[in-house]
Amino acid sequence: MAHDVSAEDLSAFLDGELPAERKAQVAEHLRACASCGRELERFKKASAAFRQHGKRALPARLLDKIRDRLRPVARRSEPMDSLVYVFALTVVVGVVLVTGVALKRFMPGLFSSIQQMISGAATSLGQGK
């Protein structure tokens, strides 16, 4: 039999992710190929070790250290008080207004072009085009 089984095939075979036809092909190949059989066993051992690793509890001191490091971050993410929020919103609105006035003053052609485009579109819609 030709050696047409990849590591991805073996992994998918182990995880039950192969379509039925490919699963049968890989199973037949495994009966004849000791090398792929050993590779599949390595995958099984690695998978079992990985599953066991997640079952161990973290040391309590490690959890305490993690919590201690996260506390300053949690404090920084508290909501802004009302005065800071109003000030920030005022600054944003001011910047938008100043930008609009500056654009209108220094780029009058832009606004007339936009107005003509809107008028043309409205006329087209009114005429059913």
Side-chain angles (χ1 to χ4, degrees):
M1 173 179 262
H3 190 80
D4 61 347
V5 174
S6 67
E8 290 81 13
D9 287 333
L10 292 175
S11 178
F13 179 83
L14 179 63
D15 295 337
E17 297 173 347
L18 288 177
E21 184 179 337
R22 183 64 181 150
K23 180 179 178 182
Q25 291 170 347
V26 171
E28 185 176 333
H29 179 82
L30 285 168
R31 283 191 281 279
C33 182
S35 174
C36 288
R38 285 190 299 274
E39 187 71 12
L40 183 64
E41 284 304 312
R42 282 187 44 234
F43 285 166
K44 285 180 183 178
K45 288 177 184 177
S47 181
F50 186 74
R51 281 192 304 274
Q52 289 300 319
H53 180 72
K55 293 180 181 179
R56 287 190 241 151
L58 291 175
R61 288 178 39 195
L62 178 60
L63 288 174
D64 291 339
K65 286 181 181 181
I66 292 170
R67 286 187 190 112
D68 289 343
R69 289 201 178 174
L70 289 177
R71 279 190 188 108
V73 173
R75 276 188 231 117
R76 282 193 302 251
S77 64
E78 293 173 1
M80 290 190 282
D81 69 13
S82 300
L83 186 59
V84 172
Y85 178 75
V86 169
F87 179 72
L89 187 59
T90 304
V91 168
V92 169
V93 169
V95 167
V96 169
L97 288 174
V98 167
T99 303
V101 169
L103 282 174
K104 185 162 174 60
R105 182 170 179 197
F106 297 110
M107 300 179 77
L110 174 68
F111 285 92
S112 65
S113 296
I114 292 172
Q115 186 176 9
Q116 288 173 356
M117 287 172 34
I118 292 171
S119 295
T123 303
S124 295
L125 287 173
Q127 295 174 354
K129 290 184 180 177

